[in-house]
Amino acid sequence: MAASDEETSGLAQRADQGDKAAIFKLLELARAGKPDAQVRIGKIYYDGLVVQRNFPLALNWLQKAAAKGQAQAMNLIGHMYQEALGVEQDYVKARLWYRQAAEAGFAPAANNLGWLYLKGDGSGKSPTLAKEWFERAADQELPAAQYNLAYLYASGTGVPRNPQRALELYRAAAEKGYAPALRAIGWLYQTGQGVQSDPAEARSWYEKASAQGELEAEAMLGQMYQQGLGVTRDLDEARRHYETSAAGGDPLGQLFLGWLYQQGMGVAQDYASALAWYQKSAAQGNATAQNNIGYLYNEGLGVERDYQMAFDWYSKAAKQGEPTALYNVGFMYEEARGVARNLDAAFRYYQMAAEKGHQEAKRIVGRSVR
């Protein structure tokens, strides 16, 4: 069978009869050099919806389209390099492909490029450049970019902190149904940033986001029921929301559910279950979960006490700037738990924790200075 015939057979193997004619026609146009058809064939292989996913073939067709200036193809190639899909991960190449697509006016690529600059993947971190590319995409009304730009203003990353501007941008994205923006507006109402604090309004926004499957919003709803914010305190309802969020893979839901098991709130106290949920959250980089695992090992709760393991987990969280973890690492250095005593290192960590607002660290640093 010729290669082209083999590809034709492969493309139609999962398609129903009604789709086959359209797929064959699309493949014919792609082979004739039509860039829009080439990118569509590339996406078929990329998505694996009607054929077995095949990234090398996807890349082949996307490169053909990109060579003719097809910006969507450039963006997809960038994503393949960013996520190591059929190619070795290469953030520099991802950034270059995203830039080509963004400069061709493709808003999702500008947003993706901004994200790489924000995270520092493929280059040093540059919130200023992240803002520039997010703005380009937001000016084209891309809700994900409006959300990302709002985050910069809400957190004061690369721009002066401006909760009011953040709220405007979140609302613009929310009006387009962008679920993370719905959740973010809920957080602003919960914390009173840019608006008057209103737990009931926060819950309403979380519910809108949750209805669209936004798992972090589901976790935040659980927190409101756990704490009785804008609702009657109900630990069963909190657990139900946490379980939905955690089962979907959200690290915040996993963290909160682990906390219920650790504390025995609305469930029987179960340190093994707490550890299991913390580990799932920590594996996704959640610093609080990493710190909590350290605490379980430090105290010997559900595991054999192991100061070395505790120190290691505290250190992982401390590297992310988690205030309690910074304090805990300082304490471990001071008390020689899992690490050789080093009072200079202890003081440095206490200082870092104090700068993050940790009250006990502030007391220790203040006492030392005097």
Side-chain angles (χ1 to χ4, degrees), residues 268-330:
Q269 192 171 53
D270 184 341
Y271 293 122
S273 292
L275 177 62
W277 285 113
Y278 287 155
Q279 287 173 328
K280 290 178 184 294
S281 181
Q284 299 187 66
N286 186 282
T288 304
Q290 292 168 346
N291 179 72
N292 290 358
I293 293 172
Y295 176 80
L296 295 180
Y297 277 106
N298 189 55
E299 301 298 323
L301 299 175
V303 293
E304 185 176 346
R305 177 172 278 171
D306 186 329
Y307 289 138
Q308 179 64 62
M309 286 287 286
F311 179 80
D312 289 346
W313 279 105
Y314 286 153
S315 296
K316 287 182 181 180
K319 286 178 181 177
Q320 298 192 62
E322 210 286 328
T324 303
L326 290 166
Y327 170 83
N328 287 337
V329 171

Side-chain angles (χ1 to χ4, degrees), residues 63-86:
Q63 287 174 328
K64 291 178 187 295
K68 295 181 174 68
Q70 223 285 351
Q72 185 183 11
M74 298 173 190
N75 180 63
L76 285 170
I77 294 170
H79 185 70
M80 294 179 79
Y81 278 109
Q82 180 182 347
E83 300 297 332
L85 301 176

